[in-house]
Amino acid sequence: MVSAALLRISCFAVMLAGFAVHAADDTAPANQGLSDRLRLSGFGTAGYSHYSSEDADYVGTQQPDGPGRTGRSSGSLDTNLGVQLDARIVDSLGATLQVLSEYLPDGSWDPRVSVGSLRWEVSDRLALRIGRFQSSTFLATDYRYVRFANPWPRPPREVYGVQPTTRLDGADLSWQMPLNDGRLMLRAGGGEVSSGAVASTAGQTDEIVYRGGFLRAQWERGAWLTSASLTHNRVSFTPSGVVGQALQLLGRLDPAAGEAAIVEDKPNTALALGLAYDSDTWVVQAEWARAWNDSILIDRSGAYLQAGHRFGPALPYLMVAERWTHGQKIHSANPAAESLLRVLYRNQHSDQRSLTLGVNFELRDRLMLKSAVEWVKPDSGGTGLQGNIGPGYSREAPKSERLLTLNLDFVF
């Protein structure tokens, strides 16, 4: 596949960058030695979480389980560790390799290449990037895994799960220019999103693959940051277990409805808007996202608003968030097929609201303690964004649950 080839080429180039830098070092200025051209850094989170539910788990967007029904307390929700090598091959060409270990959809912690890219700075304003890099949908684009750099313990699932993509194998072109005493950056690119794997109720890993392109605009001025992104993809998804069997049955009951429902190279469009203000005293951040699908995948939206005030090293904050879905698109004149379609859509009903009270405390340079209490209330008729649902769970009258979080974020 083209994306796999791009990743192999870029990672190989990054590994060779050290040799290239060393070779170029003999001709570099005296004040630009090897240590100036190679930089090794890292980041991580030691996380602890406790969820009050006995009938469901609080799970990350691409995690098979979490605290709650599986075990009231867990360290898997937020814990991760990443190492990054940045190399400046020549003045206009750089390379980045990032390896990350976190809890994966298959239940493992196997390290993976989360970034492996080459960046060519054509001019002060124009740059070309190729390889694997973070997808450009949301505000936390370049630092999504570096939790130390973000104002919450984890990205709000109500929004960041609307388009469950985290990295892109492909290429993009960025252009930046001054605008109204600030800086405007425009970015366009495309490729294959390879991180859309989700865990099925059958205990297997089903992968959602997105192939397409994106446009992103970002404007920064002082403490202000605004962003807007639009992605358009072709999405493919072959679910296993009960869902896969249901789609096969639907195709037999009503071939036209079955063809419309199947997720094979079907259009997917997502729009996201973000606004952030981060000064010495106040932190305010908000995002909204919407995804449209032409298949059995349900359309969904999400939004959150966070506000906090700094008191020395402490940042107490309040955040409200909501996720909602947009109903059934595919219908059938066959009563049995229509009934099956209703079940398939109802099982994707992830509407919920949450309220979070948290405090981030900077213990020292590059070390931060984050604590939070989140109240989660799924809407009637669904499970919200919870996973691993047990037989005792009530869809008609879901309970309000609490998540306690205590994370230690660090960079080095």
Side-chain angles (χ1 to χ4, degrees):
M1 296 176 66
V2 175
S3 62
L6 284 173
L7 179 60
R8 286 195 294 268
I9 292 171
S10 58
C11 289
F12 183 66
V14 174
M15 287 186 290
L16 289 179
F19 297 102
V21 168
H22 183 72
D25 192 48
D26 292 337
T27 60
N31 62 345
Q32 194 176 31
L34 185 62
S35 61
D36 296 319
R37 291 176 172 264
L38 284 178
R39 180 175 181 269
L40 184 65
S41 60
F43 59 89
T45 294
Y48 169 84
S49 53
H50 178 90
Y51 196 47
S52 60
S53 177
E54 297 179 349
D55 302 308
D57 285 350
Y58 189 108
V59 296
T61 302
Q62 298 168 14
Q63 293 179 342
D65 53 56
R69 182 188 175 208
T70 298
R72 289 297 188 89
S73 300
S74 173
S76 64
L77 183 61
D78 300 315
T79 298
N80 69 3
L81 180 64
V83 178
Q84 179 168 315
L85 174 66
D86 294 288
R88 177 62 61 179
I89 303 172
V90 294
D91 288 345
S92 61
L93 182 64
T96 299
L97 176 65
Q98 183 186 98
V99 178
L100 175 72
S101 176
E102 63 174 355
Y103 194 43
L104 298 175
D106 62 4
S108 74
W109 293 81
D110 296 338
R112 58 176 179 166
V113 176
S114 48
V115 176
S117 64
L118 292 171
R119 177 182 170 88
W120 177 34
E121 296 173 359
V122 183
S123 68
D124 292 341
R125 295 187 176 185
L126 184 65
L128 172 66
R129 184 170 54 171
I130 185 170
R132 172 172 291 179
F133 44 86
Q134 303 305 313
S135 58
S136 298
T137 305
F138 302 108
L139 280 177
T141 294
D142 296 324
Y143 303 102
R144 182 165 180 170
Y145 296 119
V146 187
R147 307 194 194 282
F148 179 90
N150 296 316
W152 9 252
R154 71 194 66 84
R157 300 173 309 152
E158 287 85 352
V159 172
Y160 282 67
V162 166
Q163 188 75 347
T165 58
T166 56
R167 62 181 188 266
L168 180 72
D169 295 343
D172 71 359
L173 195 65
S174 60
W175 170 269
Q176 57 182 336
M177 59 177 289
L179 178 66
N180 291 341
D181 297 324
R183 182 174 67 97
L184 174 68
M185 175 178 286
L186 302 176
R187 180 174 289 168
E192 177 180 298
V193 174
S194 58
S195 61
V198 295
S200 73
T201 54
Q204 300 175 345
T205 299
D206 300 328
E207 187 176 13
I208 303 179
V209 178
Y210 297 82
R211 297 183 180 93
F214 72 89
L215 295 170
R216 176 183 172 87
Q218 177 177 301
W219 180 67
E220 297 179 66
R221 180 184 177 184
W224 291 95
L225 170 65
T226 62
S227 71
S229 69
L230 177 67
T231 64
H232 183 71
N233 298 291
R234 310 292 295 190
V235 58
S236 298
F237 173 47
T238 304
S240 60
V242 176
V243 176
Q245 296 170 9
L247 288 175
Q248 293 176 13
L249 176 59
L250 177 65
R252 292 194 292 270
L253 293 171
D254 185 337
E259 177 61 29
I262 192 172
V263 190
E264 182 62 39
D265 198 36
K266 293 292 182 66
N268 161 265
T269 302
L271 175 66
L273 304 175
L275 174 66
Y277 176 80
D278 190 347
S279 70
D280 293 336
T281 53
W282 286 98
V283 174
V284 180
Q285 188 162 302
E287 289 185 85
W288 169 89
R290 169 76 189 264
W292 295 265
N293 294 282
D294 288 350
S295 64
I296 195 63
L297 296 177
I298 199 168
D299 292 358
R300 49 195 179 266
S301 300
Y304 75 87
L305 172 64
Q306 178 189 16
H309 189 281
R310 287 191 172 92
F311 298 91
L315 173 66
Y317 66 87
L318 171 70
M319 181 165 63
V320 292
E322 185 170 358
R323 162 73 71 85
W324 58 95
T325 50
H326 296 277
Q328 182 176 339
K329 278 188 172 182
I330 304 171
H331 293 275
S332 173
N334 183 314
E338 178 66 16
S339 178
L340 185 55
L341 282 165
R342 290 177 182 174
V343 171
L344 288 169
Y345 276 105
R346 184 175 69 244
N347 286 341
Q348 299 180 74
H349 182 73
S350 57
D351 300 39
Q352 75 170 36
R353 288 158 291 170
S354 67
L355 171 67
T356 303
L357 292 174
V359 179
N360 302 338
F361 193 89
E362 191 170 355
L363 298 174
R364 53 182 297 182
D365 187 34
R366 301 186 179 186
L367 186 64
M368 185 174 298
L369 182 67
K370 294 180 180 177
S371 60
V373 181
E374 180 178 347
W375 288 267
V376 178
K377 182 63 171 70
D379 283 5
S380 177
T383 61
L385 295 168
Q386 301 172 112
N388 193 23
I389 308 301
Y393 185 88
S394 173
R395 289 178 176 269
E396 292 72 23
K399 298 177 182 178
S400 177
E401 305 291 353
R402 296 177 308 279
L403 176 74
L404 305 179
T405 297
L406 188 64
N407 290 352
L408 187 65
D409 296 342
F410 54 91
V411 293
F412 56 91

